[in-house]
Amino acid sequence: MKTLGLIIVGLVGAGLVYATIDFPPFGDPKSPASLHVSPRYLEKTVEETAVPNAVTSVLGDYRGFDTMFETTVIFCAGVACFLLLRIPRRRSSGPRQYRHRLTGLTFRIKEGGEIFLPLREFEPVDSIWTPHDFIIEKVCRYLIPFIQLFGLYVIAHGHHSPGGGFQGGVILGASIILLSVSHNLRTALNRMGEKISALFSPVGVFIFAGTGALCLVLGYRFLDYQALAALLPGGPIMARSHGILLVEVGVGMAVMGTMVWIFKNLASRGRYDEGL
Amino acid sequence: MIWQLDLLILTLVVLCGIGAIMIRDLLGAAILFGAYSFMMCLLWAIMGAVDVAFTEASVGAGVSTVFFIAAVYHTTRRTKD
C-alpha cells in the first residue's frame, strides 16, 4: 500500500512538473496575464480608486465578492471549530490548584474542598503546573501593546503599503494568543472573553456585507463604493478608497475574532478553563 | 532575483516539507511546517509578491503553528504509523 501511494505521488508530481514547462517564464512581459490583465489594473487603479497599492484595490474593490466570501469562509471555520470542540460544562470536577499571589505557594484543593481565606489573594493554576516565568511574562506584557499597534497600522495603512485587513487581523489575534501562551488561558480570557471573540467574527462579516448592501440601498450595485460619495466627503473616487478601508476593518475584525476563537477552543479542548 | 539564494531557499523548502512528513515527533513536524512556511514567505518576497509573503508569514508561520502545537498538546506527540 505504501509503495503504491509513493508511485501515485511520484507520478502526479512528475505530471505537475511536466505541466509547469508549458508555463510562460517568470516575469515574461508577453504572457497573457502581463499583456491584458495586469496593465489594466496598474494603469487605472490610482485614477479610479485613489489607492496606490494595486493589490489592496484589487482585493477590496475590483474583486470585492471574492474577499467577502473568503471572510465568510474564515467565519465558517470558526463556527465549525466551535461546534466540534465546545463542551458547555462550567465546573470542572476533580482537584483544583491555587497559587497564593503574595508568597507563590501552590495549594491543591480536593474535590468539594473550599479555601477559607479571601479568594482574591489566590489565583487558579492549571492542573499541569508550569512554573511562573517572570522574564517571559514581563517581556510579552510589554511587547503585546506594540504588536497590537502594528496590527492596527497594517490594517489602516494597507492602502499605501503591503498589508491589509487579513494580515492586520491575524497580527491582532496573534497578540491575544501570545498573551495566552506566555501567561495562561485564563489571563487571555479575562482580556478577551469567549463572547467578544465569538461576536467579532460575525460582526466583521456583517460590516463587509453591510457596506455592500449600503451601496445597494443608495442606488448602485452591490459593493460599488462610489455610492458612498453621498455619505462621505471627497467625491466618488475617494469614496472608493474609503469603502475599501471600511471593508478592510470588517475583514480585520472577522479574522482577529476567528483566530482567537479557534485558538481558545483548540487549546482548552472546548472547556475554556485551562490550556496552553 | 539572485538565483543562488533562490536555489538555497527552494532546497530548504523541499527539505522542510520532506522532513515534516518523515519525522516521528508531531511537535517537530509542527515546527518544521513553520520553517517551511517561513521559507515559502521568503520565496514570495523574492518574487515580489510582498502581500502574499506577509500573509504567509503571519498565517502560515505564526498562527497555524500555534494551532498545530495546541492540537499536539491535547493529543499525542507520537505518530501511530
Side-chain angles (χ1 to χ4, degrees), chain A residues 181 263 266-267 276, chain B residues 26-27 30-31 62-75:
Chain A
V181 171
F263 174 77
L266 268 181
L276 208 60
Chain B
L26 285 177
L27 191 64
I31 301 295
V63 171
S64 73
T65 309
V66 177
F67 286 171
F68 277 132
I69 290 172
V72 168
Y73 179 75
H74 281 301
T75 50

Side-chain angles (χ1 to χ4, degrees), chain A residues 186-206:
Chain A
R186 241 170 269 107
T187 318
L189 278 174
N190 287 339
R191 291 278 164 187
M192 191 175 175
E194 187 195 3
K195 274 181 192 157
I196 296 174
S197 58
L199 213 70
F200 258 46
S201 36
V203 164
V205 177
F206 182 76

Side-chain angles (χ1 to χ4, degrees), chain A residues 174-225:
Chain A
S175 69
I176 304 285
I177 292 175
L178 179 65
L179 186 70
S180 170
V181 171
S182 62
H183 293 65
N184 49 33
L185 192 72
R186 241 170 269 107
T187 318
L189 278 174
N190 287 339
R191 291 278 164 187
M192 191 175 175
E194 187 195 3
K195 274 181 192 157
I196 296 174
S197 58
L199 213 70
F200 258 46
S201 36
V203 164
V205 177
F206 182 76
I207 288 176
F208 202 135
T211 311
L214 192 64
C215 303
L216 209 62
V217 169
L218 290 168
Y220 284 75
R221 278 164 294 169
F222 191 69
L223 288 174
D224 192 352
Y225 308 129

Side-chain angles (χ1 to χ4, degrees), chain B residues 17-51:
Chain B
I18 293 174
I21 299 173
M22 301 294 270
I23 198 166
R24 292 232 167 244
D25 188 0
L26 285 177
L27 191 64
I31 301 295
L32 274 172
F33 260 124
Y36 168 87
S37 290
F38 210 77
M39 293 298 149
M40 281 305 288
C41 155
L42 286 179
L43 270 185
W44 296 126
I46 287 173
M47 287 192 277
V50 193
D51 282 82

Side-chain angles (χ1 to χ4, degrees), chain A residues 26 55 154 162-163 166-167 170 177 259 262-263 266-269 276, chain B residues 1 47 50-52 54-55 58-59 63 66-67 69-71 73-74:
Chain A
F26 181 75
V55 178
V154 167
F166 198 86
Q167 292 93 331
V170 171
I177 292 175
M259 292 299 156
I262 290 178
F263 174 77
L266 268 181
S268 68
R269 288 193 209 179
L276 208 60
Chain B
M1 207 156 84
M47 287 192 277
V50 193
D51 282 82
V52 186
F54 204 164
T55 314
S58 54
V59 180
V63 171
V66 177
F67 286 171
I69 290 172
Y73 179 75
H74 281 301

